[in-house]
Amino acid sequence: MSGTTGLGETWYAANAVASPARPSLAVECDVDVCVVGGGLAGLTAAREIARRGWSVALLEGHRIAWNASGRNTGFVLPGFAAEEDAIIERVGLDHAKALWSLSEQGAEYVRNTVRELDMPGVDLVEDGWLNVWKSDDDARVAHLAEFYAKQFGAEVEHWPKERVRETLRSNRYFSALNFPRGFAINPLAYAHGLAAAAEAAGARIFENTPALDIDPAGVRKRITTPQARVRAGQVIFAGNTHIGLLMPKLAATLVPCSTYAIATEPLGAALHDAIRTQAAVSDTEFVDNHYRIVDGDRLVWCGRCTLWEGDPRSFTKSLLRDIRRTFPQLRDVKAAHSWTGTLGNTVHLMPQIGETMPGVWLLSGFSGHGLNTTAMGGEVVARAIAEDDPSWNLFSPFELVWAGGRLGRAAVQSYYYAYRTRERIDGWLSRRREAEKRRKDGLPPLEVPAPPVVPVDAAAADSAAEETPKKKRLRKKKADVGAEAVSAEKPPEI
């Protein structure tokens, strides 16, 4: 199974419909288009180009969807990782609207493909996406709902605190945005279905075939693999941070972010009492946490961020603590599976889509918002190659930007620690204000936990415990820098 690696066995892999092993490339190959990378972006591009009558070879260095494409939470949403106001500031409102429309088309591509092909094991759940706030900022949430609806024509609802807590039985939650057209899938099963669909359209897929070198000069590009070469008129690089050996300059524009997930043991009726929806749920605008119900009464819960690939077992306890902290009624929760996946974040949090030189195309940097944008990007590049469609130019303002190397990674890690700490403090202050108001109104008190003190992520500390003393000292120094930055901020007014 492609989900069983040193990165931990995913729940998706343990329950996946069997996918055939595909051969390595052993003989010379001459095609119209060579796709390097067997994740969702590469598979979509290969399928769409093959459907248009072009010959396609796809090279994957491991198994299909072995990394982030097959190891994520399966949320399919409109939009991008970048916030819409940042996109508008960069390119203007009309341009931003065109990008939003493409992102919606990407989500609908996934939905329609799953339905039309009746993909086995994908488990399409169309109960929407809830973006929940852990602080009492109802005015901002209402404004965002109006903004998305008015400016982008999005189907979105503002949920007040009462409705949120009726659905998600946690006093830690306040308002929410509900996107009813959001949905969730088994991403590994979807990737397997896309691979089968690409092959049915005529594409050839070669697994365990890393691209070692490329000669992009001339009309026919040459891609070297361990046993044979591919010649192609067009090449699409649909890789993530692991493409560094082949294209180090591209890899240097991405910040590798590893996130961690668990799937619980069956929780029975207690789960449905705590979480009274099948919707996908995000209770953050960053990493901690994203979750949904799978297999009837299990919970897939994702969170934490490291700029290195940690052992997912080191993060299991802290993710379980998050579940118990959010839903005390699930205090007996246990993990059945734990895993990690590494995604590539761009500096501007927008995907890298376009032609970098004649006949050489890029599909990368989906920044943790990839299920709709990989579909969108694959189709956009396929139309550009086969039909000379100019839509890919919409991404030209989001150029390749160096991510800062080791210093950039250290800055992002410190920002994560600071953001997570601030998010916890804001949530605690909001709950304390609510408790005080209830006291004044003569209402029964709500339990208010002690203020969180989390200058360093406990999970990261667990992971660091397995490292060498030198590495531990370096990690502690970086964490202390992040903690000092947080403590230097002005505390929020109460």
PDB file of all heavy atoms in Angstrom, residues 362-396:
ATOM      1  N   LEU A 362       5.138  23.922 -14.710  1.00  0.00           N
ATOM      2  CA  LEU A 362       5.266  23.712 -13.273  1.00  0.00           C
ATOM      3  C   LEU A 362       3.889  23.630 -12.630  1.00  0.00           C
ATOM      4  O   LEU A 362       2.994  24.436 -12.922  1.00  0.00           O
ATOM      5  CB  LEU A 362       6.055  24.872 -12.658  1.00  0.00           C
ATOM      6  CG  LEU A 362       6.316  24.827 -11.148  1.00  0.00           C
ATOM      7  CD1 LEU A 362       7.106  23.570 -10.783  1.00  0.00           C
ATOM      8  CD2 LEU A 362       7.077  26.074 -10.722  1.00  0.00           C
ATOM      9  N   LEU A 363       3.717  22.635 -11.762  1.00  0.00           N
ATOM     10  CA  LEU A 363       2.513  22.458 -10.940  1.00  0.00           C
ATOM     11  C   LEU A 363       2.988  22.129  -9.528  1.00  0.00           C
ATOM     12  O   LEU A 363       3.342  20.982  -9.250  1.00  0.00           O
ATOM     13  CB  LEU A 363       1.647  21.313 -11.471  1.00  0.00           C
ATOM     14  CG  LEU A 363       0.640  21.585 -12.574  1.00  0.00           C
ATOM     15  CD1 LEU A 363       0.011  20.279 -13.047  1.00  0.00           C
ATOM     16  CD2 LEU A 363      -0.437  22.538 -12.097  1.00  0.00           C
ATOM     17  N   SER A 364       2.998  23.101  -8.646  1.00  0.00           N
ATOM     18  CA  SER A 364       3.607  22.862  -7.341  1.00  0.00           C
ATOM     19  C   SER A 364       3.118  23.895  -6.339  1.00  0.00           C
ATOM     20  O   SER A 364       2.388  24.828  -6.668  1.00  0.00           O
ATOM     21  CB  SER A 364       5.133  22.919  -7.479  1.00  0.00           C
ATOM     22  OG  SER A 364       5.772  22.604  -6.269  1.00  0.00           O
ATOM     23  N   GLY A 365       3.535  23.715  -5.080  1.00  0.00           N
ATOM     24  CA  GLY A 365       3.329  24.723  -4.053  1.00  0.00           C
ATOM     25  C   GLY A 365       1.877  24.974  -3.679  1.00  0.00           C
ATOM     26  O   GLY A 365       1.471  26.128  -3.509  1.00  0.00           O
ATOM     27  N   PHE A 366       1.101  23.925  -3.465  1.00  0.00           N
ATOM     28  CA  PHE A 366      -0.327  24.112  -3.177  1.00  0.00           C
ATOM     29  C   PHE A 366      -0.589  24.473  -1.711  1.00  0.00           C
ATOM     30  O   PHE A 366      -1.723  24.762  -1.335  1.00  0.00           O
ATOM     31  CB  PHE A 366      -1.095  22.865  -3.609  1.00  0.00           C
ATOM     32  CG  PHE A 366      -0.987  22.607  -5.089  1.00  0.00           C
ATOM     33  CD1 PHE A 366      -0.107  21.663  -5.580  1.00  0.00           C
ATOM     34  CD2 PHE A 366      -1.721  23.357  -5.986  1.00  0.00           C
ATOM     35  CE1 PHE A 366       0.031  21.442  -6.944  1.00  0.00           C
ATOM     36  CE2 PHE A 366      -1.595  23.158  -7.349  1.00  0.00           C
ATOM     37  CZ  PHE A 366      -0.715  22.195  -7.836  1.00  0.00           C
ATOM     38  N   SER A 367       0.431  24.434  -0.897  1.00  0.00           N
ATOM     39  CA  SER A 367       0.434  25.067   0.432  1.00  0.00           C
ATOM     40  C   SER A 367      -0.672  24.576   1.357  1.00  0.00           C
ATOM     41  O   SER A 367      -1.272  25.350   2.102  1.00  0.00           O
ATOM     42  CB  SER A 367       0.356  26.595   0.277  1.00  0.00           C
ATOM     43  OG  SER A 367       1.405  27.079  -0.522  1.00  0.00           O
ATOM     44  N   GLY A 368      -0.964  23.271   1.310  1.00  0.00           N
ATOM     45  CA  GLY A 368      -1.929  22.705   2.240  1.00  0.00           C
ATOM     46  C   GLY A 368      -3.376  22.915   1.853  1.00  0.00           C
ATOM     47  O   GLY A 368      -4.277  22.600   2.631  1.00  0.00           O
ATOM     48  N   HIS A 369      -3.621  23.419   0.654  1.00  0.00           N
ATOM     49  CA  HIS A 369      -4.996  23.635   0.179  1.00  0.00           C
ATOM     50  C   HIS A 369      -5.102  22.973  -1.194  1.00  0.00           C
ATOM     51  O   HIS A 369      -5.533  23.594  -2.171  1.00  0.00           O
ATOM     52  CB  HIS A 369      -5.278  25.132   0.083  1.00  0.00           C
ATOM     53  CG  HIS A 369      -6.732  25.503   0.204  1.00  0.00           C
ATOM     54  ND1 HIS A 369      -7.665  25.156  -0.736  1.00  0.00           N
ATOM     55  CD2 HIS A 369      -7.405  26.185   1.154  1.00  0.00           C
ATOM     56  CE1 HIS A 369      -8.854  25.629  -0.392  1.00  0.00           C
ATOM     57  NE2 HIS A 369      -8.719  26.255   0.777  1.00  0.00           N
ATOM     58  N   GLY A 370      -4.723  21.680  -1.245  1.00  0.00           N
ATOM     59  CA  GLY A 370      -4.425  21.090  -2.537  1.00  0.00           C
ATOM     60  C   GLY A 370      -5.493  20.292  -3.243  1.00  0.00           C
ATOM     61  O   GLY A 370      -5.371  20.056  -4.442  1.00  0.00           O
ATOM     62  N   LEU A 371      -6.540  19.848  -2.550  1.00  0.00           N
ATOM     63  CA  LEU A 371      -7.458  18.962  -3.247  1.00  0.00           C
ATOM     64  C   LEU A 371      -8.228  19.679  -4.359  1.00  0.00           C
ATOM     65  O   LEU A 371      -8.472  19.105  -5.415  1.00  0.00           O
ATOM     66  CB  LEU A 371      -8.424  18.299  -2.255  1.00  0.00           C
ATOM     67  CG  LEU A 371      -7.837  17.046  -1.607  1.00  0.00           C
ATOM     68  CD1 LEU A 371      -8.704  16.576  -0.450  1.00  0.00           C
ATOM     69  CD2 LEU A 371      -7.692  15.923  -2.613  1.00  0.00           C
ATOM     70  N   ASN A 372      -8.610  20.916  -4.139  1.00  0.00           N
ATOM     71  CA  ASN A 372      -9.250  21.648  -5.237  1.00  0.00           C
ATOM     72  C   ASN A 372      -8.220  22.260  -6.184  1.00  0.00           C
ATOM     73  O   ASN A 372      -8.417  22.281  -7.402  1.00  0.00           O
ATOM     74  CB  ASN A 372     -10.170  22.745  -4.689  1.00  0.00           C
ATOM     75  CG  ASN A 372      -9.417  23.896  -4.043  1.00  0.00           C
ATOM     76  OD1 ASN A 372      -8.510  23.671  -3.251  1.00  0.00           O
ATOM     77  ND2 ASN A 372      -9.793  25.117  -4.364  1.00  0.00           N
ATOM     78  N   THR A 373      -7.113  22.754  -5.645  1.00  0.00           N
ATOM     79  CA  THR A 373      -6.161  23.472  -6.490  1.00  0.00           C
ATOM     80  C   THR A 373      -5.308  22.532  -7.343  1.00  0.00           C
ATOM     81  O   THR A 373      -4.863  22.923  -8.426  1.00  0.00           O
ATOM     82  CB  THR A 373      -5.259  24.382  -5.646  1.00  0.00           C
ATOM     83  OG1 THR A 373      -4.653  23.623  -4.594  1.00  0.00           O
ATOM     84  CG2 THR A 373      -6.061  25.527  -5.049  1.00  0.00           C
ATOM     85  N   THR A 374      -5.062  21.301  -6.891  1.00  0.00           N
ATOM     86  CA  THR A 374      -4.363  20.351  -7.749  1.00  0.00           C
ATOM     87  C   THR A 374      -5.234  19.981  -8.945  1.00  0.00           C
ATOM     88  O   THR A 374      -4.740  19.853 -10.072  1.00  0.00           O
ATOM     89  CB  THR A 374      -3.975  19.079  -6.985  1.00  0.00           C
ATOM     90  OG1 THR A 374      -5.131  18.553  -6.305  1.00  0.00           O
ATOM     91  CG2 THR A 374      -2.885  19.348  -5.971  1.00  0.00           C
ATOM     92  N   ALA A 375      -6.537  19.807  -8.695  1.00  0.00           N
ATOM     93  CA  ALA A 375      -7.457  19.523  -9.803  1.00  0.00           C
ATOM     94  C   ALA A 375      -7.519  20.701 -10.763  1.00  0.00           C
ATOM     95  O   ALA A 375      -7.446  20.539 -11.989  1.00  0.00           O
ATOM     96  CB  ALA A 375      -8.842  19.203  -9.254  1.00  0.00           C
ATOM     97  N   MET A 376      -7.657  21.889 -10.197  1.00  0.00           N
ATOM     98  CA  MET A 376      -7.691  23.106 -11.004  1.00  0.00           C
ATOM     99  C   MET A 376      -6.407  23.252 -11.810  1.00  0.00           C
ATOM    100  O   MET A 376      -6.424  23.493 -13.029  1.00  0.00           O
ATOM    101  CB  MET A 376      -7.876  24.308 -10.090  1.00  0.00           C
ATOM    102  CG  MET A 376      -7.714  25.664 -10.746  1.00  0.00           C
ATOM    103  SD  MET A 376      -7.206  26.930  -9.551  1.00  0.00           S
ATOM    104  CE  MET A 376      -5.530  26.411  -9.179  1.00  0.00           C
ATOM    105  N   GLY A 377      -5.247  23.113 -11.140  1.00  0.00           N
ATOM    106  CA  GLY A 377      -3.972  23.301 -11.806  1.00  0.00           C
ATOM    107  C   GLY A 377      -3.727  22.283 -12.895  1.00  0.00           C
ATOM    108  O   GLY A 377      -3.240  22.624 -13.985  1.00  0.00           O
ATOM    109  N   GLY A 378      -4.049  21.018 -12.619  1.00  0.00           N
ATOM    110  CA  GLY A 378      -3.857  19.981 -13.633  1.00  0.00           C
ATOM    111  C   GLY A 378      -4.676  20.247 -14.878  1.00  0.00           C
ATOM    112  O   GLY A 378      -4.192  20.090 -16.009  1.00  0.00           O
ATOM    113  N   GLU A 379      -5.910  20.684 -14.689  1.00  0.00           N
ATOM    114  CA  GLU A 379      -6.766  20.954 -15.840  1.00  0.00           C
ATOM    115  C   GLU A 379      -6.319  22.218 -16.574  1.00  0.00           C
ATOM    116  O   GLU A 379      -6.342  22.271 -17.807  1.00  0.00           O
ATOM    117  CB  GLU A 379      -8.219  21.082 -15.396  1.00  0.00           C
ATOM    118  CG  GLU A 379      -9.199  21.065 -16.554  1.00  0.00           C
ATOM    119  CD  GLU A 379     -10.641  20.969 -16.105  1.00  0.00           C
ATOM    120  OE1 GLU A 379     -10.956  21.441 -15.004  1.00  0.00           O
ATOM    121  OE2 GLU A 379     -11.453  20.436 -16.877  1.00  0.00           O
ATOM    122  N   VAL A 380      -5.904  23.254 -15.834  1.00  0.00           N
ATOM    123  CA  VAL A 380      -5.447  24.502 -16.456  1.00  0.00           C
ATOM    124  C   VAL A 380      -4.229  24.247 -17.340  1.00  0.00           C
ATOM    125  O   VAL A 380      -4.153  24.727 -18.485  1.00  0.00           O
ATOM    126  CB  VAL A 380      -5.135  25.553 -15.373  1.00  0.00           C
ATOM    127  CG1 VAL A 380      -4.267  26.682 -15.931  1.00  0.00           C
ATOM    128  CG2 VAL A 380      -6.426  26.134 -14.815  1.00  0.00           C
ATOM    129  N   VAL A 381      -3.256  23.480 -16.849  1.00  0.00           N
ATOM    130  CA  VAL A 381      -2.054  23.194 -17.630  1.00  0.00           C
ATOM    131  C   VAL A 381      -2.384  22.283 -18.813  1.00  0.00           C
ATOM    132  O   VAL A 381      -1.840  22.464 -19.922  1.00  0.00           O
ATOM    133  CB  VAL A 381      -0.960  22.588 -16.731  1.00  0.00           C
ATOM    134  CG1 VAL A 381       0.194  22.051 -17.566  1.00  0.00           C
ATOM    135  CG2 VAL A 381      -0.454  23.629 -15.748  1.00  0.00           C
ATOM    136  N   ALA A 382      -3.283  21.332 -18.615  1.00  0.00           N
ATOM    137  CA  ALA A 382      -3.688  20.476 -19.737  1.00  0.00           C
ATOM    138  C   ALA A 382      -4.320  21.300 -20.849  1.00  0.00           C
ATOM    139  O   ALA A 382      -4.028  21.098 -22.042  1.00  0.00           O
ATOM    140  CB  ALA A 382      -4.662  19.408 -19.243  1.00  0.00           C
ATOM    141  N   ARG A 383      -5.181  22.242 -20.485  1.00  0.00           N
ATOM    142  CA  ARG A 383      -5.807  23.095 -21.499  1.00  0.00           C
ATOM    143  C   ARG A 383      -4.774  24.003 -22.167  1.00  0.00           C
ATOM    144  O   ARG A 383      -4.857  24.282 -23.362  1.00  0.00           O
ATOM    145  CB  ARG A 383      -6.918  23.941 -20.875  1.00  0.00           C
ATOM    146  CG  ARG A 383      -8.129  23.145 -20.407  1.00  0.00           C
ATOM    147  CD  ARG A 383      -9.370  24.027 -20.287  1.00  0.00           C
ATOM    148  NE  ARG A 383      -9.147  25.208 -19.469  1.00  0.00           N
ATOM    149  CZ  ARG A 383      -9.499  25.310 -18.193  1.00  0.00           C
ATOM    150  NH1 ARG A 383     -10.086  24.292 -17.581  1.00  0.00           N
ATOM    151  NH2 ARG A 383      -9.276  26.430 -17.519  1.00  0.00           N
ATOM    152  N   ALA A 384      -3.799  24.460 -21.387  1.00  0.00           N
ATOM    153  CA  ALA A 384      -2.762  25.317 -21.960  1.00  0.00           C
ATOM    154  C   ALA A 384      -1.954  24.563 -23.013  1.00  0.00           C
ATOM    155  O   ALA A 384      -1.651  25.100 -24.092  1.00  0.00           O
ATOM    156  CB  ALA A 384      -1.844  25.827 -20.856  1.00  0.00           C
ATOM    157  N   ILE A 385      -1.596  23.320 -22.723  1.00  0.00           N
ATOM    158  CA  ILE A 385      -0.775  22.531 -23.643  1.00  0.00           C
ATOM    159  C   ILE A 385      -1.583  22.086 -24.868  1.00  0.00           C
ATOM    160  O   ILE A 385      -1.136  22.237 -26.010  1.00  0.00           O
ATOM    161  CB  ILE A 385      -0.190  21.310 -22.910  1.00  0.00           C
ATOM    162  CG1 ILE A 385       0.864  21.767 -21.889  1.00  0.00           C
ATOM    163  CG2 ILE A 385       0.414  20.310 -23.887  1.00  0.00           C
ATOM    164  CD1 ILE A 385       1.381  20.652 -20.996  1.00  0.00           C
ATOM    165  N   ALA A 386      -2.763  21.561 -24.629  1.00  0.00           N
ATOM    166  CA  ALA A 386      -3.525  20.949 -25.721  1.00  0.00           C
ATOM    167  C   ALA A 386      -4.378  21.945 -26.490  1.00  0.00           C
ATOM    168  O   ALA A 386      -4.694  21.711 -27.668  1.00  0.00           O
ATOM    169  CB  ALA A 386      -4.408  19.828 -25.172  1.00  0.00           C
ATOM    170  N   GLU A 387      -4.765  23.050 -25.834  1.00  0.00           N
ATOM    171  CA  GLU A 387      -5.708  23.972 -26.467  1.00  0.00           C
ATOM    172  C   GLU A 387      -5.210  25.410 -26.497  1.00  0.00           C
ATOM    173  O   GLU A 387      -5.936  26.307 -26.934  1.00  0.00           O
ATOM    174  CB  GLU A 387      -7.051  23.914 -25.719  1.00  0.00           C
ATOM    175  CG  GLU A 387      -7.667  22.529 -25.699  1.00  0.00           C
ATOM    176  CD  GLU A 387      -8.839  22.417 -24.704  1.00  0.00           C
ATOM    177  OE1 GLU A 387      -9.228  23.463 -24.138  1.00  0.00           O
ATOM    178  OE2 GLU A 387      -9.332  21.289 -24.517  1.00  0.00           O
ATOM    179  N   ASP A 388      -3.987  25.633 -26.026  1.00  0.00           N
ATOM    180  CA  ASP A 388      -3.420  26.980 -25.960  1.00  0.00           C
ATOM    181  C   ASP A 388      -4.298  27.924 -25.148  1.00  0.00           C
ATOM    182  O   ASP A 388      -4.413  29.108 -25.439  1.00  0.00           O
ATOM    183  CB  ASP A 388      -3.219  27.543 -27.377  1.00  0.00           C
ATOM    184  CG  ASP A 388      -2.177  28.669 -27.388  1.00  0.00           C
ATOM    185  OD1 ASP A 388      -1.326  28.685 -26.481  1.00  0.00           O
ATOM    186  OD2 ASP A 388      -2.253  29.540 -28.276  1.00  0.00           O
ATOM    187  N   ASP A 389      -4.919  27.394 -24.081  1.00  0.00           N
ATOM    188  CA  ASP A 389      -5.766  28.194 -23.207  1.00  0.00           C
ATOM    189  C   ASP A 389      -4.878  29.075 -22.315  1.00  0.00           C
ATOM    190  O   ASP A 389      -3.923  28.588 -21.714  1.00  0.00           O
ATOM    191  CB  ASP A 389      -6.629  27.269 -22.344  1.00  0.00           C
ATOM    192  CG  ASP A 389      -7.619  28.032 -21.478  1.00  0.00           C
ATOM    193  OD1 ASP A 389      -7.177  28.641 -20.489  1.00  0.00           O
ATOM    194  OD2 ASP A 389      -8.819  28.025 -21.779  1.00  0.00           O
ATOM    195  N   PRO A 390      -5.196  30.382 -22.192  1.00  0.00           N
ATOM    196  CA  PRO A 390      -4.321  31.283 -21.446  1.00  0.00           C
ATOM    197  C   PRO A 390      -4.625  31.408 -19.961  1.00  0.00           C
ATOM    198  O   PRO A 390      -4.039  32.257 -19.280  1.00  0.00           O
ATOM    199  CB  PRO A 390      -4.560  32.622 -22.149  1.00  0.00           C
ATOM    200  CG  PRO A 390      -6.008  32.559 -22.552  1.00  0.00           C
ATOM    201  CD  PRO A 390      -6.279  31.104 -22.906  1.00  0.00           C
ATOM    202  N   SER A 391      -5.540  30.599 -19.422  1.00  0.00           N
ATOM    203  CA  SER A 391      -5.955  30.777 -18.023  1.00  0.00           C
ATOM    204  C   SER A 391      -4.796  30.713 -17.046  1.00  0.00           C
ATOM    205  O   SER A 391      -4.831  31.336 -15.973  1.00  0.00           O
ATOM    206  CB  SER A 391      -7.006  29.726 -17.645  1.00  0.00           C
ATOM    207  OG  SER A 391      -8.171  29.860 -18.428  1.00  0.00           O
ATOM    208  N   TRP A 392      -3.750  29.960 -17.391  1.00  0.00           N
ATOM    209  CA  TRP A 392      -2.625  29.814 -16.461  1.00  0.00           C
ATOM    210  C   TRP A 392      -1.946  31.153 -16.169  1.00  0.00           C
ATOM    211  O   TRP A 392      -1.294  31.317 -15.127  1.00  0.00           O
ATOM    212  CB  TRP A 392      -1.598  28.821 -17.005  1.00  0.00           C
ATOM    213  CG  TRP A 392      -0.912  29.248 -18.276  1.00  0.00           C
ATOM    214  CD1 TRP A 392      -1.332  29.044 -19.552  1.00  0.00           C
ATOM    215  CD2 TRP A 392       0.330  29.964 -18.369  1.00  0.00           C
ATOM    216  NE1 TRP A 392      -0.436  29.576 -20.452  1.00  0.00           N
ATOM    217  CE2 TRP A 392       0.599  30.144 -19.747  1.00  0.00           C
ATOM    218  CE3 TRP A 392       1.239  30.452 -17.445  1.00  0.00           C
ATOM    219  CZ2 TRP A 392       1.732  30.807 -20.210  1.00  0.00           C
ATOM    220  CZ3 TRP A 392       2.371  31.113 -17.895  1.00  0.00           C
ATOM    221  CH2 TRP A 392       2.605  31.283 -19.266  1.00  0.00           C
ATOM    222  N   ASN A 393      -2.115  32.122 -17.084  1.00  0.00           N
ATOM    223  CA  ASN A 393      -1.503  33.433 -16.868  1.00  0.00           C
ATOM    224  C   ASN A 393      -2.060  34.146 -15.635  1.00  0.00           C
ATOM    225  O   ASN A 393      -1.447  35.101 -15.149  1.00  0.00           O
ATOM    226  CB  ASN A 393      -1.698  34.306 -18.111  1.00  0.00           C
ATOM    227  CG  ASN A 393      -0.776  33.891 -19.249  1.00  0.00           C
ATOM    228  OD1 ASN A 393       0.441  33.947 -19.126  1.00  0.00           O
ATOM    229  ND2 ASN A 393      -1.364  33.453 -20.347  1.00  0.00           N
ATOM    230  N   LEU A 394      -3.223  33.722 -15.150  1.00  0.00           N
ATOM    231  CA  LEU A 394      -3.768  34.320 -13.934  1.00  0.00           C
ATOM    232  C   LEU A 394      -2.829  34.133 -12.744  1.00  0.00           C
ATOM    233  O   LEU A 394      -2.893  34.883 -11.763  1.00  0.00           O
ATOM    234  CB  LEU A 394      -5.137  33.718 -13.616  1.00  0.00           C
ATOM    235  CG  LEU A 394      -6.297  34.137 -14.529  1.00  0.00           C
ATOM    236  CD1 LEU A 394      -7.519  33.263 -14.278  1.00  0.00           C
ATOM    237  CD2 LEU A 394      -6.639  35.613 -14.307  1.00  0.00           C
ATOM    238  N   PHE A 395      -1.946  33.137 -12.819  1.00  0.00           N
ATOM    239  CA  PHE A 395      -1.023  32.863 -11.706  1.00  0.00           C
ATOM    240  C   PHE A 395       0.341  33.521 -11.901  1.00  0.00           C
ATOM    241  O   PHE A 395       1.213  33.382 -11.035  1.00  0.00           O
ATOM    242  CB  PHE A 395      -0.871  31.350 -11.528  1.00  0.00           C
ATOM    243  CG  PHE A 395      -2.139  30.681 -11.089  1.00  0.00           C
ATOM    244  CD1 PHE A 395      -3.029  30.171 -12.029  1.00  0.00           C
ATOM    245  CD2 PHE A 395      -2.477  30.596  -9.749  1.00  0.00           C
ATOM    246  CE1 PHE A 395      -4.222  29.593 -11.634  1.00  0.00           C
ATOM    247  CE2 PHE A 395      -3.659  30.016  -9.348  1.00  0.00           C
ATOM    248  CZ  PHE A 395      -4.542  29.513 -10.288  1.00  0.00           C
ATOM    249  N   SER A 396       0.517  34.243 -12.998  1.00  0.00           N
ATOM    250  CA  SER A 396       1.816  34.878 -13.271  1.00  0.00           C
ATOM    251  C   SER A 396       2.262  35.854 -12.194  1.00  0.00           C
ATOM    252  O   SER A 396       3.470  35.959 -11.908  1.00  0.00           O
ATOM    253  CB  SER A 396       1.769  35.584 -14.635  1.00  0.00           C
ATOM    254  OG  SER A 396       1.581  34.651 -15.671  1.00  0.00           O
TER     255      SER A 396
END
